[in-house]
Amino acid sequence: MSKLTGVVPPVCTPLTEAGEVDVASYRRLLDHLIDGGVDGLFVLGSSSEVVYLTNDQRRLVLETAVEHVAARVPILTGVIDTTTPRVLEHVRVADELGVDGIVATAPFYTRTHPVEIDRHFRLIKEASSTPLWAYDIPACVQSKLGRDLVLSLAADGVLAGVKDSSGDDASLRYLVLEARGDGRFDDFSIFTGSELLVDTALWFGVDGVVPGLGNVDPVGYVNLYRAARSGDWETARREQERLIMLFDFVNVGSRSRPMGGNSSAIGAFKAGLALQGVIDNGRTADPQVQLNESELETIGGYLQRAGLAVPVA
Amino acid sequence: MSKLTGVVPPVCTPLTEAGEVDVASYRRLLDHLIDGGVDGLFVLGSSSEVVYLTNDQRRLVLETAVEHVAARVPILTGVIDTTTPRVLEHVRVADELGVDGIVATAPFYTRTHPVEIDRHFRLIKEASSTPLWAYDIPACVQSKLGRDLVLSLAADGVLAGVKDSSGDDASLRYLVLEARGDGRFDDFSIFTGSELLVDTALWFGVDGVVPGLGNVDPVGYVNLYRAARSGDWETARREQERLIMLFDFVNVGSRSRPMGGNSSAIGAFKAGLALQGVIDNGRTADPQVQLNESELETIGGYLQRAGLAVPVA
Amino acid sequence: MSKLTGVVPPVCTPLTEAGEVDVASYRRLLDHLIDGGVDGLFVLGSSSEVVYLTNDQRRLVLETAVEHVAARVPILTGVIDTTTPRVLEHVRVADELGVDGIVATAPFYTRTHPVEIDRHFRLIKEASSTPLWAYDIPACVQSKLGRDLVLSLAADGVLAGVKDSSGDDASLRYLVLEARGDGRFDDFSIFTGSELLVDTALWFGVDGVVPGLGNVDPVGYVNLYRAARSGDWETARREQERLIMLFDFVNVGSRSRPMGGNSSAIGAFKAGLALQGVIDNGRTADPQVQLNESELETIGGYLQRAGLAVPVA
Amino acid sequence: MSKLTGVVPPVCTPLTEAGEVDVASYRRLLDHLIDGGVDGLFVLGSSSEVVYLTNDQRRLVLETAVEHVAARVPILTGVIDTTTPRVLEHVRVADELGVDGIVATAPFYTRTHPVEIDRHFRLIKEASSTPLWAYDIPACVQSKLGRDLVLSLAADGVLAGVKDSSGDDASLRYLVLEARGDGRFDDFSIFTGSELLVDTALWFGVDGVVPGLGNVDPVGYVNLYRAARSGDWETARREQERLIMLFDFVNVGSRSRPMGGNSSAIGAFKAGLALQGVIDNGRTADPQVQLNESELETIGGYLQRAGLAVPVA
């Protein structure tokens, strides 16, 4: 695979009322994203509720994606688990099914250290020839991947890319600047996980974006990306601002009732997909709180104001 | 099982050089603990490196424990994973193999909320008739279990006990005082996960202790516990102080070189077991840093000063 | 002054309705504490709302204390400010007025480091011959004072004592054990700032306690301390448990309405003093939220259940 | 004063070897900035080491600035202290000396709450007719100012502006978007405190920037700002990237030896000024660590690579 760039949404995982993977809905979601023009798909990322899925469910998700996408776009998959031995189990499944990249975080739950994080990625790389991406998500794993660590792993051929969901764009920008113009990093992909600062991240030099909100509005992010790449920054900004106002729907649940941020945010993404008719229902996995009718109605208002067609019930 | 009390060490998991479970060493460790007089065993807790073990390894550990312990003492097992659906997979294994209690943390990696944590424990309880314990370990899962939450779950029969590894003894003491004298909590076990404040926690009313250091010196904690229970607090304190000075060996690694706190602490526990000849070697799981010869020698000095017999090589 | 031990409450600062220091009430509070049998007084500590007092108000508080106490018990005073130059201004006032000890925290607001904290205490010591105490309060200043740092400063004669409000009793116990039996620390006072774990801290070897709740019930802490010192640990524990149940009144405000923890806790202390007739009113400094009638009534219930006489209005 | 926009550096405070304010150097620094084309000056901000300055030193700094600037550009001044009563003392000095704006943080050291932060700003506003700015700096005060809080205070005429040093540009962008097109916020200034994401923040709509690095290279930030305002974003980005590579010099100290982040960063700013001959020396206030010759040399290299003229010694 040549260097990946562009819009690579972290695909949500539709569930049945019983909490099982809704394969039919999932296939429709994959088509919805590919039809929207995305450049790749990131399955089993945080937005997929990967940490809420059993190993069997993860395999089913990945099998479905590989089969249904049928190489129309590249697939990255999360191999997210607490430490190396558990991650390697997911790597084996990914290698067996065949993907274009695997994406791992630093170890979590345990007290780790940069020297161990470095070793973690190197051990994963030794076990698989699939391109390996680092997923920098300190809000979930409590460790920030330092730019020296990332660049050293990239220079040694361990990492093919990084997805930066740290929210620290100053750090991300240093990474971009240090990689630029250094031949060792020509094939190294730097992606932002931000939904809200995509035009600016593209402006300062990232290669692509992994926007959770891209599930709900893939066309928006694709338009944003293409406008930016063509130098039409005004259009990119206008599209970004529209998406920012939409993104605020992630707070509908948590503003209305006690619930966790994931229930509220992933609940909004899935509600946005269900309200557009892409997936059958917006259920999130246990033990998350389900959005209620009133909250779904509020979310519907956000979709309409963002110009997304919501079929009449 | 009647209400559990006393010393219930979180059993380490010996590994072979290749990183597999060393079953022979594990059996010797189980005997070492039972011979030391412990009142129960907590397998697949944090000190077991549970988050470094694959599901197959977890099953092997639990199978070995159930078979080898053969009901000599009660067995609690961790069912530690990120969220309810994944925890329930471990619960099914525990139920199949037959244990005396299962121990679950709050969800982690994801952004959760007390209402979801409450639901998490209730869903686990619905799925299994094995007594359920809450494991309060905010350093690993980023959520502190509030005492209102714990007591409400206990009053509703969801929880059989709590293991408090929060380090917040003021909060733990409130829990003890609020549970005391209320018939609803007569069978509710309150354990501290501290190694260093056991005499004081027993003094203010906890039912037992889950000391990682108990792997290395089970007799010490048993003596401490029995002295306290018999009202001989001076002996309890003396024993506690000896164990405190020993416990400082958890810092040997991290004081000497860059490594994570888990490498250093679990490395010291396992080194302490290997130096006493209980297990074959002190290897910790990947990607942790292994202690070197010089560090092992320093750890040997700690053992000797604590009066633990170290066989001559 | 010989080594300080015993009960040294952090004295609250009564305010008039206009927010000025209520000197008459303050004198009554000082007498209330001395009559209660305390071994010393800590003025301008966190419980005094020191960070809410202007420099003129701080001086007035200290002047009033020095004059009114008239050497009946030793006086420690906080010299709490962001960095060395600002702390030294408060030290000069303390030296001018004459106190038995000054108490300084690590620098705050700024990004500091152990080597700078070390230098901070050494510079303060160079500027004043008054005994210097370290105030370990990471919840306020974001830095924990390591035991190596504290002991090195004590060994060098920089520190006369430490007040540990870190809530980390495992760390505190290490400090106690390392100082014990080492002649260099014979005159070094180790105090806990806990209200809830005083019997246990005395049990493991601290020299004294600085309990905010001691404002409201000095006799309780004095009884607890004397019982512990005489070896009557059962009485100490019973008294401690009574005080724990009382202490929960610090949550009355924050359970009832949105307000900060300081408003709720210091509001409860002052309400407890006002309801007992020691001070004129329970006003806390701006911009804190004032407790309302209903909350004061709830607090009155706590006082009565704790056996404190509340005069009929 | 009409709405403030543009480049408003937070002015460093040169110190003599003895740690006193170096007035002559300070005047030269003020001229250096004004000659560089800045649109205003922010004195007694975090970069001024305000929390390291005594009240007398703060007054001297502000007097010097007001007198020497002589209304050539507007002056904002920090009134930074722990709580309302102490902040109001600084406000009185600012009002007496006459400035164009005062800048206050949320309360710190104490446990506060949004309702108290709201009241804090309202009480400050009641006490002074000088335009009030909110300083959002959670790294120093541990509270993030929510956008609802900021906009509500702005709508009520309490706040004239905000300086956002939170590093959370997603939140900042929401603030910009919500204020835009709403007449109530026409005069409300939104500034970023970032040094590294200025072109992007201007792109998404902030009114200006308060860059600490602007002390060292005011012309750079002025050029960046003017290019952006004229729509020449390529020039803005090129200038920004040059400044990013320079900014890395803030890590020279802390990469080389144990020291706090403030020592390293403010030390670098002041070294940059001293090496350019603007101020006499780069001393930072106690108890910070002073940079050594080797570190100064490294910093000189950064200046030269950034194209800043460093006079030959």
Side-chain angles (χ1 to χ4, degrees):
Chain A
M1 170 167 101
S2 64
K3 178 174 170 176
L4 187 63
T5 60
V7 177
V8 181
V11 189
C12 286
T13 309
L15 299 178
T16 65
E17 290 296 347
E20 292 305 324
V21 177
D22 177 348
V23 171
S25 286
Y26 193 49
R27 288 183 181 137
R28 289 200 302 275
L29 173 53
L30 295 166
D31 289 337
H32 164 74
L33 297 173
I34 295 172
D35 293 350
V38 302
D39 302 288
L41 295 166
F42 175 32
V43 303
L44 299 178
S46 301
S47 296
S48 79
E49 299 170 273
V50 62
V51 296
Y52 293 85
L53 301 176
T54 65
N55 286 355
D56 285 350
Q57 290 177 324
R58 291 191 189 195
R59 170 183 276 272
L60 176 56
V61 164
L62 192 51
E63 273 177 349
T64 305
V66 168
E67 177 207 60
H68 192 71
V69 171
R72 285 179 283 171
V73 296
I75 294 178
L76 307 182
T77 184
V79 288
I80 294 173
D81 218 314
T82 43
T83 62
T84 320
R86 293 183 66 80
V87 167
L88 290 181
E89 299 265 288
H90 305 297
V91 170
R92 276 188 277 276
V93 175
D95 282 352
E96 174 197 333
L97 296 175
V99 295
D100 302 285
I102 53 176
V103 187
T105 69
F108 55 93
Y109 184 94
T110 188
R111 288 170 293 159
T112 190
H113 187 281
V115 301
E116 298 175 4
I117 299 173
D118 180 87
R119 186 154 180 265
H120 177 64
F121 284 112
R122 292 179 191 275
L123 288 170
I124 296 170
K125 185 65 199 166
E126 284 175 19
S128 167
S129 59
T130 306
L132 173 62
W133 291 56
Y135 190 173
D136 190 17
I137 187 159
C140 293
V141 305
Q142 321 305 322
S143 299
K144 173 87 182 84
L145 301 180
R147 62 186 202 256
D148 288 351
L149 175 66
V150 170
L151 289 175
S152 136
L153 289 167
D156 291 351
V158 175
L159 292 183
V162 63
K163 181 205 166 188
D164 185 324
S165 294
S166 71
D168 182 350
D169 270 11
S171 161
L172 177 58
R173 194 165 190 174
Y174 267 113
L175 192 70
V176 165
L177 286 180
E178 296 187 358
R180 183 187 296 168
D182 182 331
R184 296 175 300 164
F185 306 115
D186 284 351
D187 295 331
F188 184 64
S189 292
I190 302 178
F191 274 58
T192 176
S194 175
E195 276 100 352
L196 308 176
L197 299 166
V198 178
D199 56 342
T200 53
L202 291 169
W203 172 255
F204 67 63
V206 301
D207 299 301
V209 56
V210 185
L213 183 60
N215 282 277
V216 177
D217 191 356
V219 173
Y221 282 99
V222 168
N223 286 346
L224 191 173
Y225 180 77
R226 291 183 184 164
R229 280 292 169 258
S230 73
D232 180 2
W233 293 98
E234 290 295 342
T235 297
R237 179 168 57 185
R238 208 162 40 239
E239 198 64 9
Q240 177 66 89
E241 292 182 352
R242 185 183 62 80
L243 291 162
I244 289 172
M245 298 319 288
L246 172 57
F247 186 78
D248 185 57
F249 75 171
V250 300
N251 301 308
V252 167
S254 53
R255 276 193 195 122
S256 127
R257 279 182 299 154
M259 68 176 67
N262 217 64
S263 296
S264 187
I266 304 300
F269 290 168
K270 288 184 149 183
L273 287 167
L275 288 168
Q276 290 182 91
V278 178
I279 67 175
D280 279 358
N281 72 74
R283 189 196 196 283
T284 52
D286 290 331
Q288 291 172 94
V289 174
Q290 305 303 311
L291 300 183
N292 62 27
E293 283 307 312
S294 154
E295 289 152 0
L296 294 179
E297 199 171 323
T298 305
I299 285 172
Y302 274 92
L303 297 177
Q304 286 173 330
R305 285 191 299 279
L308 295 179
V310 179
V312 178
Chain B
M1 165 167 104
S2 63
K3 178 175 170 175
L4 186 63
T5 60
V7 177
V8 181
V11 190
C12 286
T13 309
L15 299 177
T16 65
E17 290 295 347
E20 293 305 322
V21 178
D22 177 349
V23 171
S25 287
Y26 192 50
R27 289 182 181 138
R28 289 200 303 274
L29 173 54
L30 294 166
D31 290 337
H32 164 72
L33 298 172
I34 295 173
D35 294 349
V38 303
D39 302 287
L41 296 166
F42 175 32
V43 303
L44 299 178
S46 301
S47 296
S48 80
E49 299 171 275
V50 61
V51 297
Y52 293 84
L53 300 176
T54 65
N55 286 354
D56 285 349
Q57 291 176 322
R58 290 192 189 194
R59 170 184 276 272
L60 177 56
V61 164
L62 192 51
E63 273 176 350
T64 305
V66 168
E67 177 208 61
H68 191 71
V69 172
R72 287 180 282 171
V73 295
I75 294 177
L76 306 182
T77 184
V79 287
I80 294 173
D81 217 314
T82 44
T83 62
T84 319
R86 293 183 66 80
V87 168
L88 290 181
E89 300 265 287
H90 303 297
V91 170
R92 277 187 278 277
V93 175
D95 282 352
E96 175 197 332
L97 296 175
V99 293
D100 302 285
I102 53 176
V103 188
T105 69
F108 54 94
Y109 184 94
T110 187
R111 288 170 294 160
T112 189
H113 187 282
V115 303
E116 298 174 4
I117 299 172
D118 180 88
R119 188 158 177 262
H120 177 63
F121 285 113
R122 291 179 192 275
L123 289 169
I124 296 170
K125 185 65 200 167
E126 283 174 20
S128 167
S129 58
T130 305
L132 173 61
W133 292 56
Y135 191 172
D136 190 18
I137 188 158
C140 293
V141 305
Q142 323 304 323
S143 299
K144 172 88 182 83
L145 301 181
R147 62 186 203 256
D148 289 351
L149 176 66
V150 170
L151 289 174
S152 137
L153 289 167
D156 291 351
V158 174
L159 292 183
V162 64
K163 181 204 165 188
D164 185 323
S165 295
S166 71
D168 182 350
D169 270 10
S171 162
L172 177 58
R173 193 165 190 174
Y174 267 114
L175 193 69
V176 165
L177 285 180
E178 295 188 359
R180 182 188 297 170
D182 182 330
R184 295 176 301 165
F185 306 115
D186 283 351
D187 296 330
F188 184 66
S189 292
I190 302 178
F191 274 58
T192 177
S194 176
E195 275 100 354
L196 309 175
L197 298 167
V198 178
D199 56 341
T200 53
L202 291 170
W203 171 255
F204 68 63
V206 301
D207 299 301
V209 55
V210 185
L213 182 59
N215 282 278
V216 177
D217 191 357
V219 172
Y221 281 99
V222 168
N223 286 346
L224 191 174
Y225 180 76
R226 291 184 184 164
R229 280 290 170 260
S230 72
D232 180 1
W233 293 99
E234 290 295 342
T235 297
R237 179 168 55 187
R238 207 160 41 239
E239 198 64 9
Q240 177 66 89
E241 291 181 352
R242 184 183 61 81
L243 291 162
I244 290 172
M245 298 319 287
L246 172 57
F247 186 78
D248 185 56
F249 75 171
V250 299
N251 300 307
V252 167
S254 54
R255 277 194 194 120
S256 127
R257 280 182 299 153
M259 67 175 67
N262 216 65
S263 296
S264 187
I266 304 300
F269 291 168
K270 287 184 149 183
L273 287 168
L275 288 168
Q276 291 182 89
V278 178
I279 66 176
D280 277 0
N281 72 75
R283 189 198 196 281
T284 53
D286 290 333
Q288 292 171 94
V289 174
Q290 305 304 313
L291 300 183
N292 61 28
E293 283 307 313
S294 154
E295 290 152 0
L296 293 180
E297 197 172 324
T298 305
I299 285 172
Y302 274 93
L303 296 177
Q304 287 172 328
R305 285 191 297 279
L308 295 179
V310 179
V312 178
Chain C
M1 165 167 106
S2 64
K3 178 174 168 175
L4 187 63
T5 61
V7 177
V8 181
V11 190
C12 286
T13 309
L15 300 177
T16 66
E17 290 295 349
E20 292 304 322
V21 177
D22 177 348
V23 172
S25 287
Y26 193 48
R27 288 180 180 140
R28 289 200 303 274
L29 173 54
L30 294 166
D31 290 338
H32 165 72
L33 297 173
I34 295 173
D35 294 350
V38 303
D39 301 287
L41 296 166
F42 175 32
V43 303
L44 299 178
S46 301
S47 296
S48 80
E49 299 170 275
V50 61
V51 296
Y52 293 85
L53 300 176
T54 64
N55 286 354
D56 285 350
Q57 291 176 324
R58 292 191 188 194
R59 170 183 276 272
L60 177 56
V61 163
L62 192 51
E63 273 177 350
T64 303
V66 169
E67 177 207 63
H68 192 71
V69 171
R72 286 179 284 171
V73 295
I75 294 177
L76 306 182
T77 184
V79 288
I80 294 172
D81 218 316
T82 44
T83 62
T84 319
R86 293 183 66 80
V87 167
L88 290 182
E89 299 265 288
H90 303 298
V91 170
R92 276 188 277 277
V93 174
D95 282 351
E96 174 197 333
L97 296 175
V99 295
D100 302 286
I102 54 176
V103 187
T105 69
F108 55 94
Y109 184 94
T110 188
R111 288 170 292 160
T112 190
H113 187 283
V115 301
E116 298 175 4
I117 298 173
D118 180 88
R119 186 155 180 263
H120 177 64
F121 285 112
R122 291 179 191 275
L123 288 169
I124 296 170
K125 186 63 200 168
E126 284 175 19
S128 167
S129 58
T130 305
L132 172 62
W133 291 56
Y135 190 172
D136 189 17
I137 187 158
C140 292
V141 305
Q142 322 305 323
S143 299
K144 172 87 181 85
L145 301 180
R147 63 186 202 257
D148 289 350
L149 175 66
V150 169
L151 289 175
S152 137
L153 289 167
D156 291 350
V158 174
L159 292 182
V162 64
K163 181 203 165 188
D164 185 324
S165 294
S166 71
D168 183 350
D169 270 10
S171 161
L172 177 58
R173 193 165 191 174
Y174 266 114
L175 192 69
V176 165
L177 285 181
E178 296 188 359
R180 184 188 295 169
D182 182 331
R184 295 176 301 164
F185 306 115
D186 283 352
D187 295 330
F188 184 65
S189 292
I190 302 178
F191 274 59
T192 176
S194 175
E195 275 100 352
L196 309 176
L197 299 166
V198 178
D199 55 342
T200 51
L202 291 169
W203 171 255
F204 68 63
V206 301
D207 299 301
V209 55
V210 185
L213 183 59
N215 282 278
V216 176
D217 192 356
V219 172
Y221 282 99
V222 168
N223 286 345
L224 192 174
Y225 180 77
R226 290 183 184 165
R229 280 290 170 260
S230 72
D232 180 1
W233 292 98
E234 289 295 340
T235 297
R237 180 168 57 186
R238 207 160 41 237
E239 198 64 9
Q240 178 67 88
E241 291 182 353
R242 185 184 61 81
L243 290 162
I244 289 171
M245 298 319 287
L246 171 58
F247 186 78
D248 184 56
F249 75 171
V250 299
N251 301 308
V252 168
S254 53
R255 277 194 194 121
S256 125
R257 281 181 298 154
M259 67 175 69
N262 217 64
S263 296
S264 188
I266 305 298
F269 290 168
K270 287 183 149 183
L273 287 168
L275 288 167
Q276 291 182 89
V278 178
I279 67 174
D280 278 0
N281 73 74
R283 189 196 196 283
T284 53
D286 290 331
Q288 292 171 93
V289 174
Q290 305 303 312
L291 300 182
N292 62 27
E293 283 306 311
S294 154
E295 289 151 1
L296 294 180
E297 199 172 321
T298 305
I299 285 171
Y302 275 92
L303 296 178
Q304 286 173 331
R305 286 192 297 280
L308 295 180
V310 179
V312 178
Chain D
M1 167 168 104
S2 64
K3 177 175 170 176
L4 186 63
T5 62
V7 177
V8 181
V11 190
C12 286
T13 309
L15 299 177
T16 65
E17 289 296 347
E20 292 304 322
V21 178
D22 176 349
V23 172
S25 286
Y26 193 49
R27 288 182 180 137
R28 289 201 302 274
L29 173 54
L30 294 166
D31 289 339
H32 165 72
L33 297 172
I34 295 173
D35 294 349
V38 303
D39 302 287
L41 295 166
F42 175 31
V43 303
L44 299 178
S46 301
S47 296
S48 80
E49 300 171 272
V50 60
V51 297
Y52 292 85
L53 300 176
T54 64
N55 286 354
D56 284 350
Q57 290 176 324
R58 290 191 189 195
R59 170 183 276 271
L60 176 57
V61 163
L62 192 51
E63 273 176 351
T64 305
V66 169
E67 178 208 61
H68 191 72
V69 172
R72 285 179 284 171
V73 295
I75 295 177
L76 306 182
T77 185
V79 288
I80 293 171
D81 219 315
T82 44
T83 62
T84 320
R86 292 183 66 81
V87 167
L88 290 181
E89 300 264 289
H90 303 297
V91 170
R92 275 187 279 278
V93 174
D95 282 352
E96 176 197 332
L97 297 175
V99 295
D100 301 286
I102 53 177
V103 188
T105 70
F108 54 94
Y109 184 94
T110 188
R111 288 170 293 161
T112 190
H113 188 281
V115 301
E116 298 174 3
I117 299 172
D118 180 88
R119 187 156 179 263
H120 177 64
F121 285 113
R122 291 179 191 275
L123 288 170
I124 297 170
K125 186 63 200 169
E126 283 174 20
S128 167
S129 58
T130 305
L132 173 62
W133 291 57
Y135 190 171
D136 190 17
I137 188 159
C140 294
V141 304
Q142 322 304 325
S143 300
K144 172 87 181 84
L145 301 180
R147 62 186 202 256
D148 289 350
L149 175 66
V150 169
L151 289 174
S152 136
L153 288 167
D156 292 350
V158 174
L159 292 183
V162 64
K163 182 206 166 186
D164 185 322
S165 295
S166 71
D168 183 350
D169 270 11
S171 162
L172 177 59
R173 194 166 190 173
Y174 266 114
L175 191 71
V176 165
L177 285 180
E178 295 187 0
R180 184 189 294 169
D182 182 330
R184 295 176 301 164
F185 305 115
D186 283 352
D187 295 332
F188 184 66
S189 292
I190 302 178
F191 274 57
T192 177
S194 176
E195 274 101 351
L196 308 176
L197 298 166
V198 178
D199 56 342
T200 54
L202 291 169
W203 171 256
F204 68 63
V206 302
D207 299 301
V209 55
V210 185
L213 183 59
N215 281 278
V216 176
D217 191 356
V219 171
Y221 281 99
V222 168
N223 286 347
L224 191 174
Y225 180 77
R226 289 183 185 163
R229 280 291 169 258
S230 73
D232 180 2
W233 293 99
E234 290 294 342
T235 297
R237 180 169 55 186
R238 207 161 40 240
E239 198 65 9
Q240 177 67 87
E241 292 181 352
R242 185 183 60 80
L243 290 162
I244 289 172
M245 299 319 288
L246 172 57
F247 186 78
D248 185 55
F249 75 171
V250 299
N251 301 308
V252 168
S254 52
R255 276 195 196 122
S256 127
R257 280 182 298 152
M259 67 174 69
N262 216 66
S263 296
S264 188
I266 304 300
F269 290 167
K270 287 183 148 183
L273 287 167
L275 289 167
Q276 291 181 89
V278 178
I279 66 175
D280 278 359
N281 72 75
R283 188 197 197 284
T284 53
D286 291 331
Q288 292 170 94
V289 174
Q290 305 303 311
L291 300 182
N292 60 29
E293 283 308 311
S294 155
E295 290 153 359
L296 293 180
E297 198 172 323
T298 306
I299 284 172
Y302 274 92
L303 296 178
Q304 285 172 331
R305 286 191 298 278
L308 295 180
V310 178
V312 177

